[in-house]
Amino acid sequence: MRLTFKSLFSFKVTASPPQEPPPCRPCSAISQKTSKPTKGTRAPGDWERLVLELGDDHNRRPLPSTRSLSNKWMDFHGAKNWEGLLDPLDDGLRGEIIRYGSFVEAAYKSFDFDPSSPTYASCRYTKSSILERSGVHRSGYRVTKHLHATSSIPLPRWIERMPRWMQVQSSWVGYVAVCDDEKEISRLGRRDIVIALRGTATCLEWLENLRATLTHCNSDDQKDDGPMVETGVQSLYSSSSIMSPSLQQLLREEIVRLLRMYSDEPLSLTITGHSLGASLAILAAYDIKTTIKHSPHLSVISFGGPRVGNRSFRQHLEEQGTKILRIVNSDDIITKVPGFFVEENDDVEHEEDDHVAHLTGWIQKHVTDSRWVYANIGHELRLSSRDLLKLSSINVATCHDLKTYLDLVNGFVSSSCPLRASASRMLKKATTIPSLQ
């Protein structure tokens, strides 16, 4: 087995800004309108004339196309492993990625981040109003289930004297939604079930992120070479409390219920998440495929996800037929952790400056035994903040932000023409951009 050493920081800061690449003429030919949709306009609208308002007035992205996906949706969800769709990026797939990204943004916007609030770490809205109040207007989907994640980290007795936000063990992490609009079902070519999961927010979730060694994800398979995942993520997925069932239980019950309800229809299951939510999405996909027989086509579209499991875990996902598309910003260090050593995967593009370490047998064994050997999972759409920013250093948080990811997807054309002219907007939080070694 050959292991690759990857540094967390693959760039060095430079005082001089990089030269701006010349405009790509084919990209400049793509036009975008920025007028707001009027009341009564049904979304999603034509991406040439409508915009999706996901933030302030300067943060606008076009809506996915209204064209029928009935003949293409399987390709967009990995039936052929996205062959020929990523470079250059197919406009139909671009629209689907942005559409699912908007469901994750709705999870962020629905979460109560205020530590002084009596409802901190819960959902601010009812199931019936999550999508509308979060900006995903008339999506054609209906939220059917609130989802919660629970930490298994034991709390000391003295924690009772600390602020409430430090004591929250179970928190709202996302939702399940099902497409129930007949026109949208016809456009999509099937009834789609979405699981949307946010990233890290609470104190205990941050602590769980530090539990980065691998652990067995299946109690029935405790072999040394069995499927293993990050300990902290497994904890948040499978742990429960007196007040809250585990995320695993909530998902199993809801997915089984929906599959029975719509058993006579073409169905798809799409799990999407950002950061921690991206890791939980992959665990959920593995668990659903493992425990639910005759599950529909299942795909994962993740944004800014860290590494999550070992080679055996990856092999099991592939054998299940689970399709995973990871949207990766090469300047986002979160996508390079945990684990300093990662097994190579020929299906995943590696950065040119990766340093390959040929370890002796005893070092390999030590690293493997310490459960730090992660594997790259799924197929990547690799983007770069350097294509969107024009200065000479960068805010690390900006690189990891979900809005940055969606802006990059919106602007990306191909590896030879990474950014179309209409998408060269500066990110507000960025200050400088680093250069590769």
Side-chain angles (χ1 to χ4, degrees):
M1 178 179 67
R2 192 174 76 170
L3 304 178
T4 301
F5 178 80
K6 285 192 173 184
S7 170
L8 295 183
F9 304 96
S10 59
F11 54 79
K12 60 182 179 180
V13 178
T14 178
S16 59
Q19 294 297 317
E20 182 180 352
C24 180
R25 292 183 180 179
C27 308
S28 304
I30 303 176
S31 63
Q32 286 180 278
K33 304 275 186 174
T34 55
S35 57
K36 292 183 180 179
T38 56
K39 277 191 174 181
T41 302
R42 185 185 181 281
D46 191 297
W47 90 308
E48 294 287 341
R49 61 185 175 81
L50 295 180
V51 295
L52 177 60
E53 192 70 37
L54 294 177
D56 54 50
D57 291 339
H58 300 287
N59 188 23
R60 299 174 178 175
R61 281 180 293 274
L63 283 169
S65 171
T66 54
R67 69 184 182 184
S68 174
L69 300 179
S70 57
N71 296 325
K72 294 284 292 183
W73 78 265
M74 288 286 288
D75 292 340
F76 293 160
H77 286 254
K80 299 178 182 178
N81 295 322
W82 293 279
E83 184 178 352
L85 298 176
L86 300 178
D87 192 6
L89 180 59
D90 181 271
D91 274 342
L93 176 58
R94 183 199 317 278
E96 282 292 271
I97 293 172
I98 292 175
R99 187 169 70 91
Y100 285 107
S102 70
F103 286 118
V104 181
E105 285 210 330
Y108 276 113
K109 292 183 177 181
S110 300
F111 184 79
D112 188 350
F113 284 94
D114 183 3
S116 64
S117 170
T119 59
Y120 169 69
S122 65
C123 183
R124 298 161 58 200
Y125 311 126
T126 62
K127 288 188 295 185
S128 60
S129 63
I130 286 177
L131 296 180
E132 181 179 355
R133 298 192 66 176
S134 299
V136 190
H137 300 291
R138 304 188 185 184
S139 64
Y141 286 71
R142 170 177 54 88
V143 175
T144 65
K145 189 73 173 181
H146 287 298
L147 299 175
H148 294 80
T150 301
S151 169
S152 65
I153 296 176
L155 297 176
R157 291 184 178 180
W158 55 260
I159 199 71
E160 297 176 357
R161 299 192 295 271
M162 303 302 289
R164 180 181 175 277
W165 61 268
M166 296 184 65
Q167 306 176 38
V168 175
Q169 280 193 291
S170 296
S171 57
W172 187 85
V173 73
Y175 58 89
V176 180
V178 60
C179 185
D180 65 353
D181 180 86
E182 293 303 324
K183 290 184 179 179
E184 185 67 357
I185 292 172
S186 177
R187 185 186 78 85
L188 296 176
R190 83 286 186 194
R191 187 185 295 272
D192 185 39
I193 300 170
V194 171
I195 300 170
L197 302 165
R198 62 159 176 82
T200 307
T202 69
C203 179
L204 287 181
E205 287 172 1
W206 283 108
L207 292 178
E208 290 283 20
N209 288 340
L210 300 177
R211 301 172 68 186
T213 55
L214 291 162
T215 187
H216 292 282
C217 58
N218 190 340
S219 59
D220 298 329
D221 188 354
Q222 298 289 319
K223 299 178 182 178
D224 291 339
D225 59 349
M228 302 177 75
V229 296
E230 184 187 352
T231 300
V233 177
Q234 175 67 12
S235 168
L236 289 169
Y237 184 69
S238 60
S239 300
S240 61
S241 67
I242 298 176
M243 301 298 294
S244 178
S246 68
L247 176 58
Q248 181 181 55
Q249 181 180 343
L250 291 170
L251 281 175
R252 285 182 180 180
E253 292 176 353
E254 182 62 9
I255 297 305
V256 167
R257 185 185 74 85
L258 292 175
L259 293 183
R260 288 175 178 170
M261 180 180 297
Y262 302 112
S263 60
D264 59 343
E265 301 180 33
L267 290 172
S268 68
L269 180 56
T270 310
I271 312 179
T272 183
H274 171 250
S275 193
L276 169 64
S279 297
L280 291 172
I282 295 177
L283 259 67
Y286 171 83
D287 184 57
I288 289 171
K289 278 289 189 178
T290 301
T291 59
I292 300 178
K293 294 182 178 180
H294 311 298
S295 58
H297 180 87
L298 190 155
S299 60
V300 175
I301 298 178
S302 72
F303 303 87
R307 300 168 189 152
V308 66
N310 66 352
R311 181 176 60 176
S312 178
F313 182 64
R314 181 184 71 206
Q315 290 174 341
H316 277 69
L317 286 166
E318 292 171 350
E319 291 169 0
Q320 291 173 345
T322 301
K323 303 300 182 179
I324 300 172
L325 178 62
R326 298 176 61 239
I327 318 300
V328 175
N329 179 359
S330 60
D331 304 308
D332 180 5
I333 64 172
I334 299 302
T335 63
K336 308 176 190 298
V337 296
F340 290 100
F341 296 88
V342 58
E343 296 181 43
E344 288 196 13
N345 179 4
D346 293 336
D347 292 334
V348 178
E349 180 182 351
H350 290 274
E351 296 179 359
E352 294 180 357
D353 62 333
D354 283 351
H355 176 63
V356 179
H358 297 282
L359 304 178
T360 60
W362 70 270
I363 296 181
Q364 290 186 24
K365 184 179 185 303
H366 174 74
V367 172
T368 303
D369 290 346
S370 65
R371 298 188 176 184
W372 273 93
V373 182
Y374 281 76
N376 288 311
I377 293 174
H379 297 263
E380 286 187 358
L381 172 59
R382 183 167 286 274
L383 311 170
S384 174
S385 300
R386 294 176 181 80
D387 300 328
L388 194 61
L389 307 177
K390 298 180 181 179
L391 301 178
S392 62
S393 127
I394 199 166
N395 184 313
V396 173
T398 300
C399 284
H400 186 59
D401 190 78
L402 177 59
K403 292 182 179 180
T404 300
Y405 272 86
L406 296 184
D407 283 339
L408 288 170
V409 172
N410 181 44
F412 180 77
V413 177
S414 69
S415 55
S416 60
C417 179
L419 187 68
R420 58 189 182 206
S422 58
S424 59
R425 178 179 60 82
M426 297 287 291
L427 288 181
K428 295 173 65 178
K429 295 180 182 179
T431 56
T432 51
I433 184 74
S435 63
L436 286 173
Q437 288 180 338

